Amino acid sequence: GWDHDPFEGLIDDGFVWGRGAVDMLNVTAAMAAAFRPFLSGEKDPLPGDLIYLAVADEEAGGTFGAKWLVENHWDVVACDYQLTEVAYPPITTPDGLAYPVSVAEKGPYWRKLIARGVPGHGSQPHGRENAVVDLGTAIARLAEAPTPVIITEEWQAIVEILGLGPDMSAALLDPDQLDAAIEAIAAIDPEMARIAHALTHLTVSPNVVHGGVKNNVIAEEGHADVDIRALPGQDETTVDDHFRKVLGSELYDRLQFEPIMDYPAGSSPKEGPLWEAVGDGYEQVAGTRRRFPYLISGTTDARFFRTRGVVAYGAGVFDDRMGTGEFASMFHGHNERVSVDSVGLTTDFLANTVERFGVHSVAE
């Protein structure tokens, strides 16, 4: 639907490369292309309003984009149903391909850890309180400690559709056997083990660290930004209890914990006109309507709409050049890419889904 090639200069071997390609740029481009025929009149009007909302700060928390619009201009962006990210490739099961539909997402409880010490000359460290030492100790403990587990309905659906056999399936649904089962998967498929861990555990990842001012000055202050993602049923109390347990009371009390982002996990029902329309879209483009509810480990702007009762799904279609494990490993990593064919398939899928949603919504 473009007048020009939007990927000119970005394509190599049929892939679009770039940060955010796998989860945002592909869906954003496909949505724009699928939306345009309705805007231009090339396609018949739908029975309700169709809104294309593009905001630029999802990666920065959505504070000045979707969140601000929902809180300040709901009259402009109000909707009952939403199609958004994240879209995943199909999973191969004993009964054929099945497509994940992102119906739920973990909640971000990001924290800034602040350590304070007493400055002095770096040549005389004995007995000093060094902020970066406390900070480093805290980071190491948090990174290495086991985290709380919850078995969600979405995880149960994933395990069921994978058809891994009774013993492995039972282990993956048992909190006491889960970690051992994930390690067994890791020996064969590390990428899938990483997904399994993220979808069943509170995750804690210290990713940004600053401390000290000069090589020969004992650090008076240091801080670390920690990415924390909570499952449905976990909240800020879960996070604080985990930190206190892992750090120990003495170290915990010496640190400060500043919330950067607090937002609970959210989900949408797996039924209704949009759920059926998504099935129709897959059937039209991929030849099957087999789909299952999926919990994503990241966070999207859908959370702001779900608080208003909006049913929000992430879905798309990918070609067979990339499996789920490889796809998930590329998020913000090396060689992040999406094939141009996949963008085209997702465009067709979204256009069909929107049209079928119009039919289903009228029928209801």
Side-chain angles (χ1 to χ4, degrees):
W2 301 95
D3 291 329
H4 63 284
D5 183 357
F7 303 117
E8 184 177 358
L10 301 175
I11 299 174
D12 182 22
D13 295 329
F15 285 92
V16 181
W17 301 72
R19 193 73 74 203
V22 298
D23 61 325
M24 291 181 297
L25 301 183
N26 64 326
V27 173
T28 302
M31 286 181 175
F35 179 83
R36 181 180 174 180
F38 294 102
L39 181 67
S40 65
E42 297 171 50
K43 290 193 174 183
D44 294 335
L46 296 166
D49 293 331
L50 180 64
I51 303 169
Y52 176 68
L53 178 61
V55 292
D57 72 332
E58 189 271 344
E59 282 293 330
T63 302
F64 302 109
K67 183 176 187 290
W68 188 86
L69 287 168
V70 167
E71 292 179 350
N72 295 278
H73 289 286
W74 182 242
D75 58 317
V76 177
V77 299
C79 58
D80 298 311
Y81 297 88
Q82 182 184 59
L83 286 168
T84 182
E85 54 173 347
V86 174
Y88 282 89
I91 290 178
T92 301
T93 77
D95 297 320
L97 295 180
Y99 283 83
V101 180
S102 300
V103 303
E105 59 186 53
K106 297 178 75 174
Y109 287 93
W110 296 356
R111 293 289 183 271
K112 183 184 292 293
L113 274 59
I114 302 172
R116 303 190 190 282
V118 178
H121 201 283
S123 66
Q124 301 176 31
H126 181 70
R128 292 286 190 183
E129 296 179 23
N130 190 322
V132 298
V133 173
D134 278 352
L135 192 63
T137 301
I139 289 171
R141 290 182 185 177
L142 289 171
E144 295 170 0
T147 54
V149 171
I150 285 185
I151 304 300
T152 65
E153 292 180 6
E154 291 80 16
W155 178 245
Q156 293 174 2
I158 293 169
V159 172
E160 179 181 351
I161 205 161
L162 285 174
L164 299 174
D167 292 340
M168 177 57 80
S169 295
L172 288 171
L173 296 176
D174 181 351
D176 294 329
Q177 301 182 65
L178 177 63
D179 286 339
I182 290 175
E183 290 306 312
I185 293 173
I188 303 169
D189 192 337
E191 293 166 343
M192 289 303 296
R194 192 175 299 113
I195 296 172
H197 180 274
L199 298 187
T200 54
H201 292 70
L202 178 82
T203 58
V204 179
S205 181
N207 295 330
V208 179
V209 181
H210 296 283
V213 295
K214 197 169 182 285
N215 192 52
N216 66 344
V217 178
I218 293 170
E220 183 178 14
E221 184 172 322
H223 68 262
D225 294 343
V226 185
D227 184 328
I228 304 162
R229 310 287 174 141
L231 291 157
Q234 299 173 332
D235 55 21
E236 64 273 12
T237 301
T238 309
V239 174
D240 293 341
D241 289 347
H242 176 68
F243 273 36
R244 185 177 289 277
K245 176 182 177 181
V246 171
L247 298 177
S249 295
E250 183 179 348
L251 180 55
Y252 181 92
D253 290 340
R254 290 206 304 271
L255 299 172
Q256 292 178 287
F257 304 89
E258 179 181 308
I260 300 174
M261 188 185 305
D262 272 14
Y263 226 94
S267 64
S268 295
K270 302 82 172 172
E271 59 184 6
L274 187 56
W275 181 255
E276 294 306 319
V278 166
D280 294 344
Y282 281 128
E283 188 169 28
Q284 179 69 28
V285 176
T288 177
R289 62 184 300 110
R290 288 192 72 217
R291 65 216 184 280
F292 61 96
Y294 194 78
L295 166 70
I296 66 172
S297 58
T299 303
T300 75
D301 285 340
R303 68 188 186 278
F304 305 120
F305 288 84
R306 286 193 176 112
T307 61
R308 296 291 185 115
V310 175
V311 175
Y313 298 151
V317 181
F318 292 81
D319 61 25
D320 59 4
R321 281 182 280 181
M322 191 180 302
T324 301
E326 182 185 5
F327 176 88
S329 72
M330 291 191 304
F331 283 74
H332 301 330
H334 295 304
N335 300 324
E336 188 170 356
R337 65 197 187 277
V338 64
S339 72
V340 177
D341 289 345
S342 294
V343 178
L345 289 168
T346 297
T347 300
D348 292 341
F349 162 78
L350 291 172
N352 277 284
T353 298
V354 167
E355 289 186 281
R356 292 299 301 166
F357 173 74
V359 174
H360 286 291
S361 60
V362 169
E364 286 204 351

Coordinates of all heavy atoms in Angstrom, one line a residue, residues 213-282:
V213 N 33.4 9.1 41.2 CA 33.7 10.3 40.4 C 35.2 10.4 39.9 O 35.5 11.1 38.9 CB 33.5 11.6 41.3 CG1 32.0 11.8 41.6 CG2 34.3 11.7 42.5
K214 N 36.1 9.6 40.5 CA 37.5 9.7 40.2 C 38.2 8.4 40.6 O 37.8 7.8 41.7 CB 38.1 10.9 40.8 CG 39.4 11.4 40.2 CD 39.8 12.8 40.8 CE 41.1 13.3 40.1 NZ 42.2 12.6 40.7
N215 N 39.2 8.0 39.9 CA 39.9 6.8 40.2 C 40.5 6.7 41.6 O 40.6 5.6 42.2 CB 41.0 6.5 39.1 CG 41.5 5.1 39.2 OD1 40.7 4.2 39.2 ND2 42.8 5.0 39.3
N216 N 41.0 7.8 42.1 CA 41.6 7.8 43.4 C 40.7 8.4 44.6 O 41.2 8.8 45.6 CB 42.9 8.6 43.4 CG 42.7 10.1 43.1 OD1 41.7 10.5 42.7 ND2 43.8 10.9 43.4
V217 N 39.4 8.4 44.3 CA 38.5 8.8 45.4 C 37.5 7.7 45.7 O 36.8 7.2 44.8 CB 37.7 10.1 44.9 CG1 36.7 10.5 46.0 CG2 38.6 11.2 44.6
I218 N 37.4 7.3 47.0 CA 36.5 6.3 47.4 C 35.1 6.8 47.1 O 34.7 8.0 47.4 CB 36.7 6.0 48.9 CG1 38.0 5.3 49.1 CG2 35.5 5.1 49.4 CD1 38.4 5.2 50.5
A219 N 34.3 6.0 46.5 CA 32.9 6.4 46.0 C 32.0 6.8 47.1 O 31.7 6.0 48.0 CB 32.3 5.3 45.1
E220 N 31.4 8.0 47.0 CA 30.4 8.4 48.0 C 29.0 8.0 47.6 O 28.2 7.8 48.5 CB 30.5 10.0 48.1 CG 29.6 10.5 49.1 CD 29.7 12.1 49.2 OE1 30.3 12.7 48.3 OE2 29.2 12.6 50.2
E221 N 28.8 7.8 46.3 CA 27.5 7.4 45.9 C 27.6 6.5 44.6 O 28.5 6.7 43.8 CB 26.6 8.6 45.6 CG 25.2 8.3 45.2 CD 24.3 9.6 45.1 OE1 24.5 10.5 45.9 OE2 23.4 9.6 44.2
G222 N 26.6 5.6 44.5 CA 26.5 4.9 43.2 C 25.0 4.5 43.1 O 24.3 4.4 44.1
H223 N 24.6 4.2 41.8 CA 23.2 3.7 41.6 C 23.2 2.8 40.5 O 24.0 2.8 39.6 CB 22.3 4.9 41.5 CG 22.4 5.7 40.2 ND1 23.1 6.8 40.1 CD2 22.0 5.4 38.9 CE1 23.1 7.3 38.9 NE2 22.4 6.5 38.1
A224 N 22.2 1.9 40.5 CA 22.0 0.9 39.5 C 20.5 0.9 39.1 O 19.6 1.0 40.0 CB 22.4 -0.5 39.9
D225 N 20.2 0.9 37.8 CA 18.8 0.7 37.3 C 18.5 -0.7 37.0 O 19.3 -1.4 36.3 CB 18.6 1.5 36.0 CG 18.7 3.0 36.3 OD1 18.6 3.5 37.4 OD2 18.9 3.8 35.3
V226 N 17.5 -1.2 37.6 CA 17.2 -2.7 37.6 C 15.8 -2.9 36.9 O 14.8 -2.3 37.3 CB 17.1 -3.3 39.0 CG1 16.9 -4.8 38.9 CG2 18.4 -2.9 39.8
D227 N 15.8 -3.7 35.9 CA 14.6 -4.1 35.1 C 14.0 -5.3 35.9 O 14.6 -6.3 36.0 CB 15.0 -4.5 33.7 CG 13.8 -4.8 32.8 OD1 12.8 -5.3 33.4 OD2 13.8 -4.6 31.6
I228 N 12.8 -5.1 36.4 CA 12.0 -6.1 37.1 C 10.7 -6.3 36.4 O 10.0 -5.3 36.2 CB 11.8 -5.7 38.6 CG1 13.2 -5.4 39.2 CG2 11.1 -6.8 39.3 CD1 13.1 -4.6 40.5
R229 N 10.3 -7.6 36.1 CA 9.1 -7.9 35.5 C 8.3 -8.9 36.4 O 8.8 -9.9 36.7 CB 9.3 -8.5 34.1 CG 10.2 -7.7 33.2 CD 9.6 -6.4 32.7 NE 10.6 -5.6 32.0 CZ 10.3 -4.9 30.9 NH1 9.1 -4.9 30.4 NH2 11.2 -4.2 30.3
A230 N 7.0 -8.5 36.7 CA 6.2 -9.3 37.6 C 5.1 -10.0 36.8 O 4.5 -9.5 35.9 CB 5.6 -8.5 38.7
L231 N 4.8 -11.2 37.2 CA 3.7 -12.0 36.6 C 2.4 -11.6 37.3 O 2.3 -10.9 38.3 CB 3.9 -13.5 36.9 CG 5.1 -14.1 36.1 CD1 5.6 -15.4 36.9 CD2 4.7 -14.5 34.7
P232 N 1.3 -11.9 36.6 CA 0.0 -11.7 37.3 C 0.0 -12.4 38.6 O 0.4 -13.6 38.8 CB -1.0 -12.4 36.3 CG -0.4 -12.4 35.0 CD 1.1 -12.5 35.2
G233 N -0.5 -11.7 39.7 CA -0.4 -12.2 41.0 C 0.8 -11.8 41.8 O 0.8 -12.0 43.0
Q234 N 1.7 -11.1 41.1 CA 2.9 -10.5 41.8 C 2.8 -9.0 41.7 O 2.2 -8.5 40.8 CB 4.2 -11.0 41.2 CG 4.4 -12.5 41.2 CD 5.6 -12.9 40.5 OE1 6.0 -12.3 39.5 NE2 6.2 -14.0 40.9
D235 N 3.3 -8.3 42.7 CA 3.2 -6.8 42.7 C 4.4 -6.2 43.4 O 5.4 -6.9 43.6 CB 1.9 -6.4 43.4 CG 1.7 -6.9 44.8 OD1 2.7 -7.3 45.4 OD2 0.6 -6.9 45.3
E236 N 4.3 -5.0 43.8 CA 5.5 -4.3 44.4 C 5.9 -4.9 45.8 O 7.0 -5.0 46.2 CB 5.2 -2.8 44.6 CG 4.1 -2.5 45.6 CD 2.7 -2.4 44.9 OE1 2.6 -2.9 43.7 OE2 1.8 -1.9 45.5
T237 N 4.9 -5.5 46.5 CA 5.2 -6.2 47.7 C 6.1 -7.5 47.4 O 7.0 -7.8 48.2 CB 3.9 -6.7 48.4 OG1 3.1 -5.5 48.7 CG2 4.2 -7.4 49.7
T238 N 5.7 -8.2 46.4 CA 6.5 -9.3 45.9 C 8.0 -8.9 45.7 O 8.9 -9.6 46.1 CB 6.0 -10.0 44.7 OG1 4.6 -10.2 44.8 CG2 6.7 -11.2 44.3
V239 N 8.1 -7.8 45.0 CA 9.5 -7.3 44.7 C 10.2 -6.9 46.0 O 11.4 -7.3 46.2 CB 9.4 -6.0 43.7 CG1 10.8 -5.4 43.5 CG2 8.8 -6.5 42.4
D240 N 9.6 -6.1 46.8 CA 10.3 -5.7 48.0 C 10.6 -6.8 49.0 O 11.7 -6.9 49.5 CB 9.4 -4.7 48.8 CG 9.2 -3.4 48.1 OD1 10.0 -3.1 47.2 OD2 8.2 -2.6 48.3
D241 N 9.7 -7.8 49.1 CA 10.0 -9.0 49.9 C 11.2 -9.8 49.3 O 12.0 -10.3 50.1 CB 8.8 -9.9 50.0 CG 7.7 -9.3 50.8 OD1 7.9 -8.3 51.6 OD2 6.5 -9.8 50.8
H242 N 11.2 -9.9 48.0 CA 12.3 -10.6 47.4 C 13.7 -9.9 47.6 O 14.7 -10.6 47.9 CB 12.1 -10.8 45.9 CG 13.2 -11.4 45.1 ND1 13.5 -12.8 45.3 CD2 14.0 -10.9 44.2 CE1 14.5 -13.1 44.5 NE2 14.9 -12.0 43.8
F243 N 13.7 -8.6 47.4 CA 14.9 -7.8 47.6 C 15.4 -8.0 49.1 O 16.6 -8.2 49.3 CB 14.6 -6.4 47.3 CG 14.8 -6.0 45.9 CD1 14.5 -6.9 44.9 CD2 15.3 -4.8 45.5 CE1 14.6 -6.6 43.5 CE2 15.5 -4.4 44.2 CZ 15.1 -5.3 43.2
R244 N 14.5 -7.9 50.0 CA 14.9 -8.0 51.4 C 15.5 -9.4 51.7 O 16.5 -9.5 52.4 CB 13.8 -7.7 52.4 CG 14.1 -7.7 53.8 CD 13.0 -7.3 54.7 NE 12.6 -5.9 54.6 CZ 13.2 -4.9 55.2 NH1 14.2 -5.1 56.0 NH2 12.8 -3.7 55.1
K245 N 14.8 -10.4 51.2 CA 15.3 -11.8 51.4 C 16.7 -12.0 50.8 O 17.5 -12.6 51.4 CB 14.3 -12.8 50.8 CG 14.7 -14.2 50.9 CD 13.6 -15.1 50.3 CE 14.1 -16.6 50.3 NZ 13.0 -17.5 49.7
V246 N 16.9 -11.6 49.6 CA 18.1 -11.8 48.8 C 19.3 -11.0 49.4 O 20.4 -11.5 49.5 CB 17.9 -11.6 47.3 CG1 19.2 -11.6 46.6 CG2 16.9 -12.6 46.7
L247 N 19.0 -9.7 49.7 CA 20.1 -8.8 50.1 C 20.4 -9.0 51.6 O 21.6 -8.7 52.0 CB 19.7 -7.4 49.8 CG 19.4 -7.0 48.4 CD1 19.0 -5.6 48.3 CD2 20.7 -7.3 47.5
G248 N 19.5 -9.5 52.3 CA 19.7 -9.5 53.8 C 19.4 -8.2 54.4 O 19.6 -7.1 53.8
S249 N 18.9 -8.2 55.6 CA 18.4 -7.0 56.3 C 19.5 -5.9 56.4 O 19.3 -4.7 56.2 CB 17.9 -7.3 57.7 OG 16.8 -8.1 57.6
E250 N 20.8 -6.3 56.7 CA 21.8 -5.3 56.8 C 22.1 -4.5 55.6 O 22.1 -3.3 55.6 CB 23.1 -6.0 57.3 CG 24.2 -5.0 57.6 CD 25.5 -5.7 58.1 OE1 25.4 -6.9 58.5 OE2 26.5 -5.0 58.2
L251 N 22.3 -5.3 54.4 CA 22.6 -4.6 53.2 C 21.3 -3.9 52.7 O 21.4 -2.7 52.2 CB 23.1 -5.6 52.1 CG 23.4 -5.0 50.7 CD1 24.4 -3.9 50.8 CD2 23.9 -6.1 49.8
Y252 N 20.2 -4.5 52.8 CA 18.9 -3.9 52.4 C 18.7 -2.5 53.0 O 18.3 -1.5 52.4 CB 17.7 -4.8 52.7 CG 16.4 -4.3 52.3 CD1 15.9 -4.6 51.0 CD2 15.6 -3.5 53.1 CE1 14.6 -4.2 50.6 CE2 14.4 -3.0 52.8 CZ 13.9 -3.4 51.5 OH 12.6 -2.9 51.1
D253 N 19.0 -2.4 54.3 CA 18.8 -1.2 55.1 C 19.8 -0.1 54.7 O 19.5 1.1 55.0 CB 18.8 -1.5 56.6 CG 17.6 -2.3 57.1 OD1 16.6 -2.3 56.3 OD2 17.7 -2.9 58.1
R254 N 20.9 -0.5 54.2 CA 21.9 0.5 53.8 C 21.6 1.1 52.4 O 22.2 2.1 52.1 CB 23.3 -0.1 53.8 CG 23.9 -0.5 55.1 CD 25.4 -0.5 55.1 NE 26.0 -1.3 54.2 CZ 26.3 -2.6 54.4 NH1 26.0 -3.2 55.6 NH2 26.8 -3.4 53.4
L255 N 20.7 0.5 51.7 CA 20.4 1.0 50.3 C 19.1 1.7 50.3 O 18.3 1.5 51.2 CB 20.4 -0.2 49.4 CG 21.6 -1.1 49.2 CD1 21.3 -2.3 48.4 CD2 22.7 -0.3 48.5
Q256 N 18.9 2.5 49.2 CA 17.6 3.1 49.0 C 17.1 2.5 47.7 O 17.9 2.2 46.8 CB 17.8 4.6 48.8 CG 18.2 5.3 50.1 CD 18.3 6.8 49.9 OE1 19.3 7.3 49.3 NE2 17.4 7.6 50.3
F257 N 15.8 2.4 47.6 CA 15.1 1.8 46.4 C 14.1 2.8 45.9 O 13.1 3.1 46.5 CB 14.5 0.5 46.8 CG 15.4 -0.5 47.4 CD1 15.6 -0.5 48.8 CD2 16.1 -1.3 46.6 CE1 16.5 -1.4 49.4 CE2 17.0 -2.2 47.2 CZ 17.2 -2.3 48.6
E258 N 14.4 3.4 44.8 CA 13.5 4.4 44.2 C 12.8 3.8 43.0 O 13.3 3.4 42.0 CB 14.4 5.6 43.7 CG 13.6 6.7 43.0 CD 14.6 7.8 42.6 OE1 15.4 8.3 43.4 OE2 14.5 8.2 41.4
P259 N 11.4 3.8 43.1 CA 10.6 3.3 41.9 C 10.8 4.1 40.7 O 10.8 5.4 40.7 CB 9.2 3.4 42.4 CG 9.3 3.5 43.9 CD 10.6 4.3 44.2
I260 N 11.1 3.5 39.6 CA 11.2 4.1 38.3 C 9.9 3.9 37.5 O 9.4 4.8 36.9 CB 12.3 3.6 37.4 CG1 13.7 3.8 38.1 CG2 12.4 4.2 36.0 CD1 14.9 3.1 37.4
M261 N 9.3 2.7 37.7 CA 8.0 2.4 37.0 C 7.3 1.3 37.8 O 8.0 0.3 38.2 CB 8.3 1.9 35.6 CG 7.0 1.8 34.8 SD 7.4 1.1 33.1 CE 8.6 2.2 32.5
D262 N 6.1 1.5 38.1 CA 5.3 0.5 38.8 C 4.0 0.3 38.0 O 3.2 1.2 38.0 CB 4.9 1.0 40.2 CG 6.0 0.6 41.3 OD1 7.1 0.2 40.9 OD2 5.7 0.7 42.5
Y263 N 3.8 -0.9 37.5 CA 2.6 -1.1 36.7 C 2.3 -2.6 36.8 O 3.2 -3.4 36.5 CB 2.8 -0.7 35.2 CG 1.6 0.1 34.7 CD1 1.6 1.4 34.8 CD2 0.5 -0.6 34.3 CE1 0.5 2.2 34.3 CE2 -0.6 0.1 33.8 CZ -0.6 1.5 33.9 OH -1.7 2.2 33.4
P264 N 1.1 -3.0 37.2 CA 0.8 -4.4 37.4 C 0.7 -5.1 36.0 O 0.4 -4.5 35.0 CB -0.5 -4.4 38.1 CG -1.2 -3.1 37.7 CD 0.0 -2.1 37.6
A265 N 0.9 -6.4 36.1 CA 0.6 -7.3 34.9 C -0.9 -7.2 34.5 O -1.7 -6.9 35.4 CB 1.0 -8.7 35.2
G266 N -1.1 -7.3 33.2 CA -2.5 -7.2 32.7 C -2.8 -8.3 31.7 O -1.9 -8.8 31.1
S267 N -4.1 -8.5 31.5 CA -4.5 -9.5 30.5 C -5.9 -9.2 30.0 O -6.6 -8.4 30.5 CB -4.6 -10.9 31.2 OG -5.6 -11.0 32.2
S268 N -6.2 -9.8 28.9 CA -7.5 -9.7 28.2 C -8.2 -11.0 28.0 O -7.5 -12.0 27.9 CB -7.3 -9.0 26.8 OG -6.8 -7.7 26.9
P269 N -9.5 -11.1 28.0 CA -10.2 -12.3 27.8 C -9.9 -13.0 26.5 O -9.6 -12.3 25.5 CB -11.7 -12.0 27.9 CG -11.7 -10.5 27.6 CD -10.4 -9.9 28.1
K270 N -9.9 -14.3 26.5 CA -9.6 -15.1 25.2 C -10.9 -15.5 24.6 O -11.1 -16.7 24.2 CB -8.8 -16.3 25.6 CG -7.5 -16.0 26.3 CD -7.7 -15.8 27.8 CE -6.3 -15.7 28.5 NZ -6.5 -15.3 29.9
E271 N -11.8 -14.6 24.3 CA -13.1 -14.8 23.7 C -13.6 -13.5 23.2 O -13.1 -12.5 23.4 CB -14.0 -15.4 24.7 CG -14.3 -14.5 25.9 CD -15.2 -15.2 27.0 OE1 -15.5 -16.4 26.8 OE2 -15.5 -14.5 27.9
G272 N -14.7 -13.6 22.4 CA -15.3 -12.4 21.8 C -15.0 -12.2 20.4 O -14.3 -13.0 19.7
P273 N -15.5 -11.1 19.8 CA -15.4 -10.8 18.4 C -14.0 -10.7 17.9 O -13.7 -11.1 16.8 CB -16.2 -9.5 18.2 CG -16.3 -8.9 19.5 CD -16.3 -10.0 20.5
L274 N -13.1 -10.0 18.7 CA -11.7 -9.9 18.2 C -11.0 -11.2 18.2 O -10.2 -11.5 17.3 CB -11.0 -8.8 19.0 CG -9.6 -8.5 18.5 CD1 -9.6 -8.0 17.1 CD2 -8.9 -7.4 19.4
W275 N -11.2 -12.0 19.2 CA -10.6 -13.3 19.3 C -11.0 -14.2 18.1 O -10.1 -14.8 17.4 CB -11.0 -14.1 20.6 CG -10.4 -15.4 20.7 CD1 -11.0 -16.6 20.6 CD2 -9.0 -15.7 21.1 NE1 -10.1 -17.7 20.8 CE2 -8.9 -17.1 21.1 CE3 -7.9 -14.9 21.4 CZ2 -7.7 -17.7 21.5 CZ3 -6.7 -15.5 21.7 CH2 -6.6 -16.9 21.7
E276 N -12.3 -14.1 17.7 CA -12.7 -14.9 16.5 C -12.2 -14.3 15.2 O -11.8 -15.0 14.3 CB -14.3 -14.9 16.5 CG -14.9 -15.7 17.6 CD -14.4 -17.1 17.7 OE1 -14.2 -17.7 16.7 OE2 -14.1 -17.5 18.9
A277 N -12.1 -12.9 15.2 CA -11.6 -12.3 14.0 C -10.1 -12.6 13.8 O -9.6 -12.8 12.6 CB -11.8 -10.8 14.1
V278 N -9.3 -12.7 14.9 CA -7.9 -13.1 14.8 C -7.8 -14.5 14.2 O -7.0 -14.8 13.3 CB -7.2 -13.0 16.1 CG1 -5.9 -13.7 16.1 CG2 -7.1 -11.5 16.5
G279 N -8.7 -15.4 14.7 CA -8.7 -16.7 14.1 C -9.0 -16.7 12.6 O -8.4 -17.4 11.8
D280 N -10.0 -15.9 12.2 CA -10.3 -15.8 10.8 C -9.1 -15.2 10.0 O -8.8 -15.7 8.9 CB -11.5 -14.8 10.6 CG -12.8 -15.3 11.2 OD1 -12.9 -16.5 11.4 OD2 -13.7 -14.5 11.4
G281 N -8.4 -14.3 10.6 CA -7.2 -13.7 9.9 C -6.1 -14.7 9.7 O -5.6 -14.8 8.6
Y282 N -5.9 -15.6 10.7 CA -4.9 -16.6 10.5 C -5.3 -17.6 9.5 O -4.5 -18.1 8.6 CB -4.6 -17.3 11.8 CG -3.7 -16.6 12.8 CD1 -4.1 -16.3 14.1 CD2 -2.5 -16.1 12.4 CE1 -3.3 -15.6 14.9 CE2 -1.6 -15.4 13.2 CZ -2.0 -15.2 14.5 OH -1.2 -14.5 15.4

